[in-house]
Amino acid sequence: MLKVKQLKIKGFETVVVGKDSSADFHAIIAVHSTQLGPSLGGIRMWPYRNETEGLQDVLRLATAMTKKAAISGLPMGGGKAVIIGDPAKDKTRNLFLSMGELIETLHGKYIAAKDSGILPEDLDIVSEKTRHVTGSTNKQGGSGDPSLATAKGVLAGMQAACKFVFGTKCLKGRVVAIQGIGQVGWNLGNLLFQQGAKLFVVDLQPSRVKQAQRSWTASVVPLFEIHQVPADIFAPCALGGILNADTIPHLRANIVAGGANNQFLDEEQDPFRLMKRNILHVPDYVLNAGGLIHLFVREILHQRRVAPWILNIQRTVHQVLAASLQEQLPPLVVANRMAFQKLEFH
Ligand code: NAD
């Protein structure tokens, strides 16, 4: 039986922990804000060492979703969920049914989607217990995996950043180092390859790396060295925290622009460290909003044409970078201010 515990956490509207020992289920949902609308955000499945680690991740991810929706001009709030477990080993039908039950306890305040470790087919099972799910398979009435839309948004934002730094949007011949070639990274790699970029890649899964070598003649970098590649663009597309006091001194890219959420380990200090090194960072939640936009347009608005919405990312990236240059503040600081202004003036 599902047991639900409420946690009181300053700055968050609702945080619930769900456990069902008969299903080996242990998950947390964090709703950061529903000020602009119901919160929409993915479920991440990851083998967190304990609940505290999962809680820390879900709180950061949920906060980023509030900012992502606000800066993208969507009438949605920010929320996120994590399931503590290994997606390669621990997925069961009962686990996802329990996830559906937990979502249902929030009565639509949190609308689920996929994040790392989750597939549309998993969301099909979740949707047997709750209708507050987006991104399930077409067969189940959903709009499927939004990762391609995310990658298209990242590409659009990268072009805006290139225009800013190199004076041209053109990606032909640009060297891009991608960390993590999962669903976002893989789609991004394909798009960059089509644009004529030269790719360096790494992933924890050797099969993905081999596929990238074959498909894009990508160069493979040892794990934990991808940030040191002398590239035009470093594109983090794995999990968070890759930009930190240890890695920033070794970065050799002109631009950091990737799909991963929460790229800075320390959001107070690290954006300034990067700026001091004269490396341009495109804030992750501005750049990777394509998936959220896709789900909003297709499943909340019930419209089909997502592309013009995704192109807006280019305009937002330009606004953020221009203000950052003018004010001599890191792009993340400027983007945070722009996002919170939208919340304040709502
Ligand atoms: P995914 O699980 O499909 O891919 C992540 C990949 O990163 C995996 O292949 C994994 O093996 C690899 N990886 C993990 N740690 C690594 C490391 N240290 N070095 C190299 N590779 C590593 O997940 P995804 O859906 O592609 O999401 C990737 C990132 O993008 C996450 O941070 C997610 O929150 C963010 N994001 C995803 C979407 C989306 O539409 N899927 C939308 C917005 C943001």
Side-chain angles (χ1 to χ4, degrees), residues 17 28 38 48 76 92 96 125 129 152 163 173 189 195 252 268 270 280 301 303 312 315 328 335:
V17 180
I28 312 168
Y48 298 102
M76 303 301 288
T92 61
F96 289 116
I125 306 173
K129 291 287 181 183
K152 285 182 176 171
K163 174 94 180 136
Q195 299 277 324
R252 292 166 75 193
E268 300 292 317
D270 292 333
L280 185 120
L301 287 187
Q303 291 179 8
N312 277 341
R315 210 184 45 211
Q328 287 299 297

Side-chain angles (χ1 to χ4, degrees), residues 10-325:
K10 195 165 172 258
F12 288 78
E13 287 183 17
T14 309
V15 181
V16 287
V17 180
K19 280 188 185 175
D20 184 343
S21 52
S22 67
D24 274 333
F25 174 72
H26 189 181
I28 312 168
I29 300 176
V31 176
H32 175 248
S33 166
T34 56
Q35 203 182 322
L36 298 178
S39 73
L40 172 54
I43 304 168
R44 175 174 287 186
M45 186 167 183
W46 188 252
Y48 298 102
R49 279 172 299 181
N50 49 45
E51 189 176 294
T52 310
E53 204 179 86
L55 182 64
Q56 217 176 12
D57 205 24
V58 79
L59 296 180
R60 287 190 74 181
L61 289 164
T63 309
M65 291 309 293
T66 301
K67 296 190 281 184
K68 191 183 303 193
I71 206 157
S72 306
L74 305 182
M76 303 301 288
K80 204 88 180 182
V82 295
I83 298 177
I84 300 171
D86 185 341
K89 292 195 291 222
D90 300 333
K91 285 187 179 181
T92 61
R93 182 176 155 72
N94 281 344
L95 179 123
F96 289 116
L97 290 174
S98 300
M99 188 69 221
E101 280 180 45
L102 182 63
I103 293 167
E104 192 57 19
T105 64
L106 298 181
H107 308 291
K109 233 180 148 180
Y110 168 67
I111 303 172
K114 65 146 262 132
D115 193 73
S116 185
I118 298 293
L119 296 170
E121 290 73 15
D122 304 325
L123 297 176
D124 285 359
I125 306 173
V126 173
S127 72
E128 290 179 35
K129 291 287 181 183
T130 179
R131 65 190 169 85
H132 304 299
V133 182
T134 57
S136 53
T137 63
N138 299 146
K139 211 168 70 188
Q140 194 73 12
S143 65
D145 186 351
S147 305
L148 176 59
T150 302
K152 285 182 176 171
V154 173
L155 185 87
M158 265 183 186
Q159 288 170 325
C162 281
K163 174 94 180 136
F164 212 78
V165 172
F166 305 119
T168 168
K169 276 185 187 175
C170 181
L171 290 162
K172 193 168 176 356
R174 292 262 168 248
V175 177
V176 186
I178 307 179
Q179 184 201 34
I181 35 177
Q183 288 165 59
V184 174
W186 181 259
N187 282 302
L188 179 65
N190 269 335
L191 295 171
L192 286 165
F193 179 68
Q194 285 160 18
Q195 299 277 324
K198 163 101 190 79
L199 301 176
F200 284 75
V201 297
V202 72
D203 197 284
L204 298 179
Q205 297 191 31
S207 60
R208 296 200 166 160
V209 172
K210 282 212 178 78
Q211 212 180 343
Q213 271 179 307
R214 270 200 308 270
S215 307
W216 314 323
T217 53
S219 305
V220 179
V221 182
L223 264 181
F224 312 114
E225 290 182 18
I226 189 84
H227 61 285
Q228 300 175 20
V229 171
D232 294 306
I233 306 170
F234 171 42
C237 292
L239 301 188
I242 180 64
L243 303 175
N244 55 57
D246 293 331
T247 59
I248 289 172
H250 302 288
L251 283 179
R252 292 166 75 193
N254 296 295
I255 297 171
V256 179
N261 278 309
N262 300 334
Q263 293 168 14
F264 289 115
L265 193 61
D266 175 348
E267 287 200 356
E268 300 292 317
Q269 307 282 335
D270 292 333
F272 287 91
R273 288 194 175 104
L274 203 56
M275 196 171 83
K276 272 200 193 116
R277 290 224 41 225
N278 211 13
I279 296 171
L280 185 120
H281 178 249
V282 185
D284 40 30
Y285 64 83
V286 177
L287 197 63
N288 69 17
L292 175 67
I293 291 170
H294 168 95
L295 295 170
F296 172 73
V297 174
R298 296 290 295 276
E299 298 198 37
I300 309 282
L301 287 187
H302 299 288
Q303 291 179 8
R304 290 209 62 80
R305 272 179 50 79
V306 182
W309 290 75
I310 288 187
L311 268 185
N312 277 341
I313 291 175
Q314 241 168 26
R315 210 184 45 211
T316 314
V317 167
H318 179 79
Q319 279 171 354
V320 169
L321 298 184
S324 148
L325 182 69

